[in-house]
Amino acid sequence: VRQATNQIVMNCADIDIITASYAPEGDEEIHATGFNYQNEDEKVTLSFPSTLQTGTGTLKIDFVGELNDKMKGFYRSKYTTPSGEVRYAAVTQFEATDARRAFPCWDEPAIKATFDISLVVPKDRVALSNMNVIDRKPYPDDENLVEVKFARTPVMSTYLVAFVVGEYDFVETRSKDGVCVRVYTPVGKAEQGKFALEVAAKTLPFYKDYFNVPYPLPKIDLIAIADFAAGAMENWGLVTYRETALLIDPKNSCSSSRQWVALVVGHELAHQWFGNLVTMEWWTHLWLNEGFASWIEYLCVDHCFPEYDIWTQFVSADYTRAQELDALDNSHPIEVSVGHPSEVDEIFDAISYSKGASVIRMLHDYIGDKDFKRGMNMYLTKFQQKNAATEDLWESLENASGKPIAAVMSTWTKQMGFPLIYVEAEQVEDDRLLSLSQRKFCASGPYAGEDCPQWMVPITISTSEDPSQAKLKILMDKPEMSVVLKNVKPDQWVKLNLGTVGFYRTQYSSAMLESLLPGIRDLSLPPVDRLGLQNDLFSLARAGIISTVEVLKVMEAFVNEPNYTVWSDLSCNLGILSTLLSHTDFYEEIQEFVKDVFSPIGERLGWDPKPGEGHLDALLRGLVLGKLGKAGHKATLEEARRRFKDHVEGKQALSADLRSPVYLTVLKHGDGTTLDIMLKLHKQADMQEEKNRIERVLGATLLPELIQKVLTFALSEEVRPQDTVSVIGGVAGGSKHGRKAAWKFIKDNWEELYNRYQGGFLISRLIKLSVEGFAVDKMAGEVKAFFESHPAPSAERTIQQCCENILLNAAWLKRDAESIHRYLLQRKASPPAPAV
């Protein structure tokens, strides 16, 4: 007690306090006489009959809480035993503000403490917590129970405390630095924990070396939880996962699942240092935790699996996703001031994670690995077991590198958005003179406001002489700049943003762009630069700065493209365009275009893996066949039906990598029987991964009555609560009718859906997936009006972003539909020459 008081205020939610007392050290205990709950603020005030004097003492609270069904706090998770019996495990999810649902506490990241945890549990259940077990003894009052006592934790924040009680098997190993690592799986599936175990055992020593700080606990457990809202949660020493983010079955898991598990394990283990050992001061700095872990997970996977070419995938998975969101007027800066707990949920979004990771990648490139590591070590050593803010990290990195880190980075974290760099070039004798200018990039077209924000932009410039090396690096710290590149021949191209590392988009003069296009065809531009060029052009067209037809022409230059990630990004953009054009009467023409673009690579790849192929070939084959099948490519559709039939009849099982594309193809071009077969496969699937794989494609079905059936299925007992979202989202993204039906379904079942996700981030995801495909102005009004009368506070920003996107889609359609249609017809009349 720091100053005398007769009240103690602490966090508490959905808990009834029976008695509370305070015993000053060496004195009589004083019983609290009043408990006043402030439910809105999730707090309780304990009132005492006499003043508590300054000094130390012990607060004792006897309370009752509930094991809830909300997937937050201390909750129950439903699972089925191998014999088919339904049982429950008790598990926790406390981030951001739900430790207060398990026990009264001071539930803020900067109020750290040590925790001594004991659990009284049925003796045939596994009981786990952050630390190792130090004692296990029979419980005096009931011979079926045992009391399990865990070692004292280091000083830590409440949101990282965890406990799990349930039935699990495990596999274990010791990492080369002596940490005991276990992966806990559902009973009978220990085998499926081996892949994650391997990754974890390689990752711990990697981080120890990178940070030059040892892992601070004696053990780490990774555990698969049946009902789990997030992907995973980095509780210190006891990391919880969705089953699909941890379990891998050598026979039935596809390549993308392996990659996902590797990334999530890398992400959560990075938090053991960055987040758990050093914690953000307040939720405003959440991005530090998440952005950093989302960046370093790739570094770690690249170390464990160099064959994944994971840094190229980063660009299409995180960088472009963040830019898409951050171009909106309803985006937000990386650093957001957070007040009420409901505002915390909202910032677990692509800005905190993906933009955060992208600007850290840019920063790492700007500083260089050696100084970056040194700065990280200074930061972790200085703040271990304490809390830090964004500025503290900048200070450590500035000390290590001698560069103006705080000045540069505050332009990226304190203001929203990012710049569009416009560049033109002029040949002056043997040199190339470049003129650069920066303006904020807006999804709605050129920035029109007063006082355009400015960024300090680390810019790299490469030329065709050596496309993989920066010829020049500069820091652009003003609105306009001229740069001289020495010794560049007139026939050489010049490209900005080598490796697509800088968080900006580039608009080239038409002459510069013309000279870059052959580098796409002959692959002399590196893959990540080909991807970045195409993605920039697509978003410039979307914003109405260039015409969409120009981008379609560039897309046709990708006929010789071998790289999976480049195709994946191209495919995403064509998907966005397809969705847009589903509002027109020439949707079929864009499908023809998709078939033309994808069939050459489809023919080269074929259906069956060839000797010597690896991870990326498997991903590419799945992507291309899925794209062709969905677009109704005749040969692909026939082969998919043939293989599906063999799979269902048990003649020849589909390899895991072919399942998604085949399921999608047969469903989209199938009937009620096909849907029934898929639902049967879903029921029979033993692996959550397979159930999810099916759930995600069900929305491809086209007949109205089948779409209703899928929507009803989404809310049934067959689908785990966290997966309902992807079923409804799949319907909304599957077809024009599906979009309308999904929106109506959400409105009709709003109460149930809202109660189920109670303001967590799943509600935001549900809204985004289901309405962002609309392209009529009045729909934006309808969405806005619905949520005005059915408020969802934690999704408020998402709703604004969705409405903005609908209006942007409508404007894009008005602007470009006609010219796209003309171009597609004209292409049909004179088909392009075949690829050489």
Side-chain angles (χ1 to χ4, degrees):
V1 177
R2 292 222 177 105
Q3 56 193 69
T5 177
N6 57 0
Q7 289 189 332
I8 293 179
V9 182
M10 58 202 305
N11 291 112
C12 168
D14 301 337
I15 278 177
D16 288 325
I17 293 176
I18 299 161
T19 62
S21 66
Y22 177 76
E25 214 161 274
D27 210 343
E28 298 280 292
E29 71 179 317
I30 306 163
H31 286 273
T33 45
F35 313 127
N36 181 12
Y37 298 94
Q38 293 95 35
N39 292 338
E40 265 304 280
D41 292 337
E42 304 185 338
K43 285 178 181 167
V44 64
T45 302
L46 312 176
S47 310
F48 292 87
S50 57
T51 306
L52 313 182
Q53 301 303 327
T54 54
T56 50
T58 306
L59 177 64
K60 284 189 191 158
I61 302 177
D62 192 2
F63 66 91
V64 177
E66 70 160 347
L67 203 53
N68 70 51
D69 280 325
K70 296 178 183 170
M71 291 196 282
K72 59 185 187 177
F74 196 11
Y75 70 92
R76 57 182 203 161
S77 165
K78 189 161 91 170
Y79 64 98
T80 314
T81 62
S83 65
E85 187 193 335
V86 170
R87 292 189 183 169
Y88 290 92
V91 304
T92 58
Q93 166 62 35
F94 291 165
E95 189 178 24
T97 56
D98 292 311
R100 63 193 65 172
R101 287 174 201 282
F103 51 91
C105 55
W106 285 273
D107 198 9
E108 295 184 5
I111 308 179
K112 289 190 168 188
T114 58
F115 292 85
D116 300 302
I117 292 173
S118 307
L119 298 173
V120 177
V121 302
K123 63 178 182 210
D124 59 351
R125 293 293 191 266
V126 172
L128 301 169
S129 185
N130 305 80
M131 299 298 288
N132 48 307
V133 173
I134 48 173
D135 190 26
R136 188 187 165 98
K137 55 176 192 277
Y139 187 63
D141 306 347
D142 183 341
E143 60 182 33
N144 294 315
L145 300 177
V146 289
E147 184 174 342
V148 182
K149 197 170 175 217
F150 300 91
R152 172 170 292 181
T153 69
V155 173
M156 64 184 281
S157 302
T158 47
Y159 79 88
L160 293 164
V161 172
F163 20 93
V164 174
V165 183
E167 299 177 283
Y168 300 95
D169 285 343
F170 67 86
V171 283
E172 78 175 323
T173 187
R174 216 165 256 285
S175 70
K176 70 169 198 277
D177 36 10
V179 181
C180 175
V181 186
R182 286 184 175 180
V183 174
Y184 282 85
T185 71
V187 173
K189 296 188 177 178
E191 237 350 64
Q192 295 179 17
K194 284 188 169 160
F195 178 75
L197 185 70
E198 234 170 276
V199 177
K202 266 190 188 164
T203 297
L204 285 171
F206 172 74
Y207 286 147
K208 178 187 166 216
D209 294 344
Y210 197 87
F211 298 133
N212 201 7
V213 172
Y215 173 73
L217 307 184
K219 64 93 175 173
I220 187 158
D221 298 325
L222 292 72
I223 185 166
I225 306 291
D227 294 320
F228 198 75
M233 174 62 211
E234 70 267 20
N235 315 301
W236 215 356
L238 177 58
V239 184
T240 46
Y241 294 79
R242 271 192 187 199
E243 290 186 6
T244 48
L246 190 69
L247 304 181
I248 290 294
D249 171 354
K251 276 200 286 298
N252 291 303
S253 287
C254 59
S255 305
S256 57
S257 293
R258 273 168 211 276
Q259 181 176 304
W260 175 239
V261 169
L263 283 168
V264 180
V265 169
H267 179 101
E268 305 309 332
L269 295 191
H271 277 310
Q272 306 302 306
W273 285 262
F274 208 98
N276 302 7
L277 182 63
V278 177
T279 310
M280 68 249 145
E281 181 64 40
W282 177 243
W283 300 108
T284 300
H285 303 280
L286 169 80
W287 87 272
L288 257 193
N289 260 9
E290 296 307 346
F292 185 84
S294 302
W295 168 76
I296 207 165
E297 67 184 68
Y298 284 86
L299 200 68
C300 153
V301 167
D302 195 43
H303 163 79
C304 297
F305 303 98
E307 70 279 12
Y308 285 9
D309 180 30
I310 202 76
W311 279 115
T312 306
Q313 297 194 52
F314 174 88
V315 176
S316 86
D318 282 274
Y319 173 98
T320 55
R321 235 184 91 217
Q323 288 195 338
E324 201 172 305
L325 182 54
D326 206 24
L328 297 177
D329 295 341
N330 285 298
S331 180
H332 62 87
I334 281 179
E335 294 185 60
V336 190
S337 57
V338 172
H340 195 268
S342 73
E343 295 169 17
V344 182
D345 279 336
E346 221 184 345
I347 57 174
F348 285 82
D349 67 359
I351 298 293
S352 297
Y353 285 72
S354 300
K355 183 181 180 181
S358 301
V359 300
I360 285 173
R361 173 169 166 258
M362 170 169 74
L363 174 65
H364 173 264
D365 186 67
Y366 172 60
I367 294 178
D369 193 58
K370 196 163 124 274
D371 287 347
F372 187 86
K373 273 178 160 157
R374 215 172 62 227
M376 290 307 312
N377 171 262
M378 282 156 64
Y379 171 80
L380 288 169
T381 312
K382 181 174 177 183
F383 294 101
Q384 55 185 326
Q385 301 207 351
K386 298 193 189 82
N387 296 75
T390 303
E391 293 68 44
D392 297 313
L393 179 61
W394 297 163
E395 191 186 336
S396 298
L397 290 169
E398 202 156 296
N399 290 339
S401 68
K403 292 185 172 171
I405 305 303
V408 172
M409 292 308 287
S410 62
T411 66
W412 298 97
T413 66
K414 290 191 187 308
Q415 54 186 11
M416 74 177 201
F418 58 91
L420 171 64
I421 309 284
Y422 179 73
V423 53
E424 40 190 40
E426 193 187 337
Q427 188 74 21
V428 181
E429 289 169 3
D430 294 338
D431 305 335
R432 194 75 56 93
L433 177 66
L434 302 184
S435 318
L436 311 176
S437 60
Q438 59 159 307
R439 280 194 91 81
K440 180 180 187 309
F441 177 74
C442 299
S444 54
Y447 182 81
E450 295 291 297
D451 309 329
C452 187
Q454 294 294 314
W455 284 264
M456 290 175 82
V457 194
I459 287 183
T460 51
I461 304 171
S462 58
T463 70
S464 43
E465 189 184 357
D466 185 353
S468 60
Q469 231 28 65
K471 188 172 172 83
L472 187 66
K473 291 187 171 191
I474 52 168
L475 184 65
M476 183 171 181
D477 53 5
K478 43 184 177 289
E480 291 175 1
M481 250 176 129
S482 296
V483 181
V484 178
L485 288 180
K486 295 275 182 210
N487 304 320
V488 179
K489 300 189 182 66
D491 60 343
Q492 290 181 336
W493 51 252
V494 167
K495 177 172 185 303
L496 262 63
N497 205 1
L498 173 70
T500 317
V501 173
F503 198 72
Y504 57 89
R505 293 199 180 279
T506 308
Q507 185 186 0
Y508 295 96
S509 66
S510 41
M512 286 184 82
L513 183 60
E514 277 306 301
S515 69
L516 281 165
L517 295 183
I520 293 180
R521 273 185 192 275
D522 66 18
L523 310 178
S524 59
L525 269 172
V528 69
D529 292 281
R530 302 195 292 269
L531 187 162
L533 193 59
Q534 177 269 133
N535 196 284
D536 277 355
L537 287 169
F538 187 77
S539 63
L540 288 170
R542 216 173 162 176
I545 295 171
I546 62 173
S547 101
T548 307
V549 170
E550 282 181 57
V551 187
L552 292 175
K553 289 179 181 163
V554 171
M555 286 177 165
E556 297 187 76
F558 282 87
V559 281
N560 306 313
E561 183 55 60
N563 184 285
Y564 160 70
T565 314
V566 177
W567 274 116
S568 157
D569 195 67
L570 194 68
S571 159
C572 260
N573 289 339
L574 276 171
I576 291 168
L577 197 56
S578 271
T579 300
L580 183 77
L581 298 179
S582 66
H583 297 273
T584 67
D585 51 8
F586 59 91
Y587 180 65
E588 282 315 310
E589 268 85 358
I590 191 75
Q591 300 315 306
E592 289 303 316
F593 181 83
V594 170
K595 285 186 264 190
D596 287 346
V597 171
F598 280 87
S599 50
I601 177 82
E603 275 158 37
R604 284 204 298 277
L605 285 167
W607 279 79
D608 298 303
K610 302 177 182 57
E613 280 189 353
H615 175 78
L616 293 162
D617 302 289
L619 292 180
L620 181 56
R621 180 172 289 110
L623 174 79
V624 171
L625 293 174
K627 206 70 181 167
L628 286 168
K630 194 174 174 186
H633 182 258
K634 198 160 168 292
T636 307
L637 176 55
E638 285 166 5
E639 183 64 9
R641 282 179 172 152
R642 190 182 70 72
R643 290 181 181 237
F644 183 65
K645 187 167 179 285
D646 287 352
H647 177 67
V648 173
E649 291 171 0
K651 285 187 198 146
Q652 174 78 51
L654 278 166
S655 74
D657 283 314
L658 288 178
R659 286 182 204 170
S660 278
V662 167
Y663 292 169
L664 177 76
T665 302
V666 298
L667 261 173
K668 176 155 186 190
H669 306 280
D671 54 18
T673 318
T674 325
L675 180 61
D676 289 340
I677 295 172
M678 287 307 299
L679 294 174
K680 195 171 130 204
L681 286 178
H682 181 277
K683 208 176 176 61
Q684 291 165 350
D686 175 45
M687 245 195 125
Q688 199 49 36
E689 177 188 327
E690 175 77 355
K691 286 190 190 292
N692 282 170
R693 188 182 285 132
I694 294 168
E695 287 159 3
R696 281 206 282 276
V697 297
L698 289 175
T701 190
L702 291 174
L703 298 168
E705 64 278 16
L706 300 183
I707 287 174
Q708 265 335 106
K709 188 171 175 178
V710 171
L711 288 168
T712 311
F713 173 75
L715 274 180
S716 71
E717 286 288 303
E718 296 291 320
V719 178
R720 288 193 179 158
Q722 72 264 25
D723 299 320
T724 299
V725 173
S726 52
V727 181
I728 300 174
V731 170
S735 62
K736 189 176 179 176
H737 181 84
R739 200 162 38 238
K740 291 182 179 149
W743 171 234
K744 184 176 183 322
F745 185 79
I746 285 175
K747 290 187 294 186
D748 294 345
N749 295 277
W750 178 250
E751 295 292 286
E752 183 179 348
L753 287 163
Y754 189 69
N755 288 335
R756 179 183 276 204
Y757 303 121
Q758 285 246 291
F761 69 95
L762 283 171
I763 203 85
S764 297
R765 187 168 296 170
L766 176 69
I767 294 166
K768 180 177 164 17
L769 287 172
S770 52
V771 304
E772 67 181 352
F774 287 113
V776 189
D777 286 356
K778 74 169 199 322
M779 274 311 302
E782 188 182 311
V783 171
K784 188 166 173 274
F786 179 79
F787 290 110
E788 273 165 6
S789 55
H790 303 79
S794 69
E796 215 165 295
R797 187 181 280 120
T798 302
I799 294 159
Q800 290 162 348
Q801 289 162 350
C802 289
C803 293
E804 183 178 347
N805 266 323
I806 294 171
L807 296 172
L808 288 166
N809 286 341
W812 185 14
L813 204 53
K814 277 200 208 61
R815 200 174 52 234
D816 277 1
E818 215 164 292
S819 59
I820 295 172
H821 192 189
R822 271 202 309 275
Y823 175 69
L824 294 174
L825 291 175
Q826 173 199 328
R827 254 185 100 258
K828 247 197 199 152
S830 54
V836 181

